[in-house]
Amino acid sequence: PRVALIDCGAKGSIASSLVERDAVVEKLPYDATVADVESVDPDVLFISNGPGDPENFEAAAALVEEYVGDIPLAGICLGQQVIANALGGETEKMEFGHRGVNQPVLDLRSEQVVMTTQNHGYTVAEPGNLDVTQINVNDDTPEGLDSDELDVITRQYHPEANPGPHDTLGFFDDVLGMTPARTN
């Protein structure tokens, strides 16, 4: 599968985690246009992590609005926030944020708790058209947003964190599992 990775400050380990799963990753800048995305003909649009207020990433939000329902969408950290905002949600600045390793996250479907690595100061306050599928055990903030209908999957934490727990690396398998088999 071909992944258009919108680089809002992406960690290299995100691209590496996708490449390890036989994906072709095409990095595009945070202000990429529809024409830029079309030029790589992606199977997935992936909004990366990065610093700052998700409201400032208008170009990335416009891409989400353009492609939702047409190709699968994925996001990590800031990417979750940008996708939520673009799909009718709201974000807010946290008083302290989530920093470091050992942030417990509860998957609401499996009821499994995993330890995660995080570094963010904003959170999704209202998920909009997305379902909250994971929450932070400490403060109940959304850690995972999904929509099977829209083919969207996001995580607030860093599944690819190195060093750190590797319990959440299956996220990348889930992202690539949303893509159809490519014939060219």
Side-chain angles (χ1 to χ4, degrees), residues 5-115:
L5 177 60
I6 306 303
D7 186 354
C8 301
K11 291 171 52 179
S13 52
I14 292 173
S16 297
S17 293
L18 292 164
V19 169
E20 287 170 7
R21 289 162 175 78
D22 298 324
V24 174
V25 177
E26 301 283 350
K27 277 191 182 181
L28 297 172
Y30 73 95
D31 59 352
T33 64
V34 169
D36 295 329
V37 172
E38 294 293 323
S39 74
V40 300
D41 186 28
D43 299 302
V44 176
L45 180 67
F46 198 117
I47 311 296
S48 82
N49 65 300
D53 186 339
E55 296 281 338
N56 293 334
F57 291 84
E58 295 172 3
L63 293 175
V64 171
E65 292 169 0
E66 175 72 23
Y67 290 105
V68 68
D70 291 335
I71 62 173
L73 304 174
I76 288 178
C77 199
L78 175 74
Q80 171 168 288
Q81 300 158 17
V82 168
I83 290 171
N85 281 342
L87 299 180
E90 295 178 18
T91 54
E92 66 185 13
K93 186 161 179 53
M94 301 173 79
E95 187 172 356
F96 298 107
H98 293 161
R99 313 280 180 212
V101 298
N102 295 328
Q103 290 284 332
V105 170
L106 171 65
D107 185 291
L108 298 173
R109 293 175 179 165
S110 70
E111 298 184 1
Q112 178 184 9
V113 174
V114 294
M115 300 310 288

Side-chain angles (χ1 to χ4, degrees), residues 56-182:
N56 293 334
F57 291 84
E58 295 172 3
L63 293 175
V64 171
E65 292 169 0
E66 175 72 23
Y67 290 105
V68 68
D70 291 335
I71 62 173
L73 304 174
I76 288 178
C77 199
L78 175 74
Q80 171 168 288
Q81 300 158 17
V82 168
I83 290 171
N85 281 342
L87 299 180
E90 295 178 18
T91 54
E92 66 185 13
K93 186 161 179 53
M94 301 173 79
E95 187 172 356
F96 298 107
H98 293 161
R99 313 280 180 212
V101 298
N102 295 328
Q103 290 284 332
V105 170
L106 171 65
D107 185 291
L108 298 173
R109 293 175 179 165
S110 70
E111 298 184 1
Q112 178 184 9
V113 174
V114 294
M115 300 310 288
T116 66
T117 300
Q118 302 191 24
N119 185 23
H120 62 96
Y122 287 82
T123 189
V124 173
E126 169 56 47
N129 294 327
L130 302 171
D131 298 319
V132 176
T133 57
Q134 297 182 342
I135 59 170
N136 189 291
V137 173
N138 294 325
D139 61 12
D140 292 330
T141 54
E143 295 286 351
L145 302 174
D146 294 16
S147 172
D148 294 336
E149 181 181 330
L150 299 174
D151 278 338
V152 176
I153 185 170
T154 69
R155 297 296 180 260
Q156 184 60 63
Y157 52 86
H158 291 273
E160 80 296 345
N162 292 307
H166 297 119
D167 300 354
T168 57
L169 280 172
F171 169 75
F172 295 100
D173 299 319
D174 294 342
V175 168
L176 297 176
M178 295 190 302
T179 65
R182 187 175 267 275

